[in-house]
Each structure stands twice: as C-alpha cells, then as structure tokens.
C-alpha cells in the first residue's frame, strides 16, 4: 500500500486543476452606503471581497457572517445571499464578480469552500485585486484574456492558500467519488485492469468510463498514469529512495517507468531529482 494524500484531497486537486475562472465585473474598491442592503437571493456568479475597514452583516444560505478587516469573503453562485450595514462604520472593501467553472459545472456543485477566511497577507491580497483591475483595464490585445485570467487565478489561489486546513471539502454529493480515488492511490503497484476496477465499484465498463471522465476530465488509464507519476515525483524530491524501488512501488520496471515519467514530466526521473532535490 502506498501512503499519501487522501482520496478526497486527490479529487479536490484534480478538480482545481480543471478550474477555469472568468471575470464578470472588474475589481474595485468601494466604501458602501449606510443603506447598503439587499434581500436574500442567489446570483448566477460568485463574489470575492477583501474587507479593508468597517463592519456589516452577510447571510449566505443559512449562515450569518460578520467579516472583519483583513478577511476574504467568498460568496458562491446559486446560493441565496443577503447583506446589510449594521452601524455607521460601514464596509470599505475590494470586490469583484466572477465565474468559476470545472468543466460545465460551477465550483460550488463540486466543492464546499469557506465563506470567510483571514487573508494570510492582506497587503498581498489587496495587490492581487489591483492586478485584476489593471489587467481588465488593459487595452484589448491578443494576450489580454490570458493576463486577466492569470491575475484572477493568482487571487483565487491566495484565497485557497489562506483557507484553514480541512476547510476546502468535497460537496456532499461528491464524497462517494473519494472511494475510487482512495483505492487507486492505495494500490498503485497492483491496480487491476480498468474492467476489473469498474467491477470493484459496481459499474459496467462503459458506464464507469463515462462516469470517470465526467467527474475527473480524464480516462481511468490517463488518471492512473498521472497518479503514479505524481506519486513518484513526490518520492523523488522528498526521499533518496533508489529509482528502481520507486518504479516498483508504482507497478513498473525501471525502463518503462523512465519512459512514462518522461512522457508526463518531459524529463527523466534522474533529471527531475536533480532539478528539485539538487543536494541529494
């Protein structure tokens, strides 16, 4: 059995690898009016705030929130949201609206994300909001969409990095997928055929292939190949284990392991270890 990240963490990482972020309304700084409020209703887009000053009340679904300066606020699409001021000390905040899609589904369908997190570095978060706004104001050009998406991705990554450990979870309807990934991660050296893997989880082959690609954006064979190489990459950088031992741990002889590793990583295992563990 190979240790490592849990099945749930592997699914989350796979989902985030497929995440596409698109700006709806550019980043701005606003000091809200004393009458700032709205009734509980959903939006088709997500919101991200960085609270700079003041106080206020938010309701997200059934949760009542009172974010403080220095905190990031994520308000998901398709979840009822209301807000209001609670004193003359009103919010001053960075804000933007965006779409966050994994395949053709909103991120909130697949992951449960924390609504309020303390920024690990509020000045950095503010600078990232400014970068999104600056990219949006760039004169239109071939690379403008790339710069904008890159800035927005960096900001969302800051939010995820600031989230407390364990606070990013699979949504309740996705937790059943963790069993498949857990099984793959724990049996990388001895995995059965895809047909047998489907049977282990009660699927016929065609249904399993379709289900797997829908959930993870890869075929089972592609996912297993990537899982094996990513595990090997961690071992190459974190340990001094011999190459043939790492290859055996993912069910390959050393020659085939080197070939597959180079296909996925563009370098050989030895070159990878020198790049990322130079003093080994």
């Amino acid at each position: 059995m190979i240790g490592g990240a849990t099945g749930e963490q592997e699914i989350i990482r796979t989902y985030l690898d497929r995440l596409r972020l698109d700006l709806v309304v550019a980043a701005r700084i606003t000091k809200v009016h004393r009458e700032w409020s709205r009734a509980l209703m959903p939006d088709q887009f997500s919101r991200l705030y960085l609270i700079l000053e003041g106080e206020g009340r938010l309701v997200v679904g059934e949760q009542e929130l009172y974010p403080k300066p220095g905190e990031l606020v994520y308000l998901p699409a398709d979840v009822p949201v209301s807000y209001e001021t609670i004193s003359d000390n009103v919010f001053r905040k960075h804000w933007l609206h965006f779409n966050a899609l994994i395949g053709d589904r909103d991120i909130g369908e697949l992951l449960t994300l924390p609504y309020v997190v303390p920024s690990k570095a509020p000045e950095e978060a503010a600078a990232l909001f400014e970068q999104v706004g600056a990219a949006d104001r760039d004169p239109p050009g071939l690379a403008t969409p790339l710069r904008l998406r890159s800035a927005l991705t960096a900001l969302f990554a800051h939010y995820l990095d600031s989230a407390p450990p364990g606070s990013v979870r699979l949504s309740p309807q996705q937790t059943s997928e963790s069993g498949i990934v857990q099984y793959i991660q724990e049996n990388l050296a001895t995995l059965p055929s895809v047909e047998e893997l489907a049977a282990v989880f009660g699927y016929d082959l065609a249904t399993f292939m379709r289900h797997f690609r829908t959930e993870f954006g890869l075929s089972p064979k592609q996912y297993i190949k990537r899982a094996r190489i990513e595990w090997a990459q961690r071992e190459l950088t974190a340990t001094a284990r011999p190459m043939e031992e790492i290859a055996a741990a993912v069910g390959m002889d050393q020659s085939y392991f080197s070939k597959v590793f180079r296909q996925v990583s563009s370098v050989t295992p030895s070159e990878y270890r020198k790049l990322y563990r130079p003093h080994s």
Side-chain angles (χ1 to χ4, degrees):
M1 178 181 293
I2 292 177
T6 67
E8 181 173 13
Q9 291 171 328
E10 286 299 315
I11 295 173
I12 291 170
R13 186 201 59 75
T14 300
Y15 283 153
L16 292 176
D17 189 46
R18 298 168 57 205
L19 178 63
R20 178 188 172 103
L21 300 170
D22 291 297
L23 189 67
V24 175
V25 177
R28 303 170 187 272
I29 298 179
T30 299
K31 185 169 185 176
V32 307
H33 297 294
R34 181 64 176 89
E35 297 77 23
W36 181 72
S37 68
R38 84 162 194 178
L40 195 65
M41 67 178 73
D43 295 302
Q44 293 184 328
F45 52 81
S46 299
R47 302 165 185 257
L48 193 64
Y49 299 162
L50 172 65
I51 306 300
L52 300 173
E53 300 172 1
E55 58 184 2
R57 175 178 179 267
L58 298 169
V59 176
V60 186
E62 298 180 352
Q63 292 193 39
E64 191 172 38
L65 307 168
Y66 295 87
K68 301 180 178 67
E71 292 183 332
L72 291 157
V73 181
Y74 162 71
L75 304 177
D78 301 320
V79 175
V81 170
S82 73
Y83 47 73
E84 63 181 353
T85 58
I86 57 175
S87 74
D88 291 334
N89 183 25
V90 297
F91 281 142
R92 180 171 170 269
K93 59 187 175 69
H94 281 281
W95 63 272
L96 55 78
H97 300 168
F98 66 105
N99 290 318
L101 297 179
I102 297 169
D104 60 357
R105 290 184 285 179
D106 185 82
I107 190 173
E109 294 182 46
L110 302 174
L111 302 179
T112 298
L113 304 173
Y115 298 145
V116 177
V117 302
S119 169
K120 64 176 185 176
E123 291 183 0
E124 177 184 331
L128 289 168
F129 269 96
E130 296 285 0
Q131 288 173 22
V132 174
D136 186 62
R137 293 188 295 271
D138 275 351
L142 286 176
T144 300
L146 298 178
R147 283 196 294 271
L148 181 54
R149 191 167 295 122
S150 175
L152 184 55
T153 299
L155 175 57
F156 197 71
H158 177 92
Y159 155 75
L160 291 173
D161 285 341
S162 298
S167 63
V168 177
R169 305 293 305 273
L170 289 176
S171 63
Q173 62 267 35
Q174 295 301 311
T175 53
S176 63
E177 307 306 328
S178 63
I180 297 173
V181 173
Q182 187 77 39
Y183 185 88
I184 290 172
Q185 290 294 321
E186 292 181 349
N187 296 280
L188 288 176
T190 58
L191 279 172
S193 67
V194 175
E195 292 87 347
E196 292 168 327
L197 187 61
V200 168
F201 290 94
Y203 292 97
D204 64 76
L205 179 60
T207 302
F208 182 71
M209 296 283 286
R210 185 170 58 251
H211 172 79
F212 202 98
R213 186 173 286 279
T214 297
E215 291 302 321
F216 304 114
L218 299 167
S219 72
K221 285 185 178 180
Q222 289 170 326
Y223 185 93
I224 289 166
K225 178 191 286 188
R226 192 173 77 172
R228 283 172 163 157
I229 298 307
E230 288 181 350
W231 183 87
Q233 287 172 340
R234 291 193 290 269
E235 289 297 295
L236 286 167
T237 57
T239 76
R241 292 178 71 177
M243 213 73 66
E244 60 270 19
E245 186 178 315
I246 294 174
V250 292
M252 301 179 186
D253 63 56
Q254 189 171 350
S255 175
Y256 183 63
F257 169 70
S258 295
K259 178 182 177 180
V260 173
F261 193 98
R262 186 160 193 161
Q263 288 174 349
V264 174
S265 304
S266 79
V267 294
T268 67
S270 296
E271 290 168 339
Y272 190 91
R273 177 169 266 170
K274 288 177 182 177
L275 283 169
Y276 296 102
R277 198 171 189 266
H279 303 298
S280 60

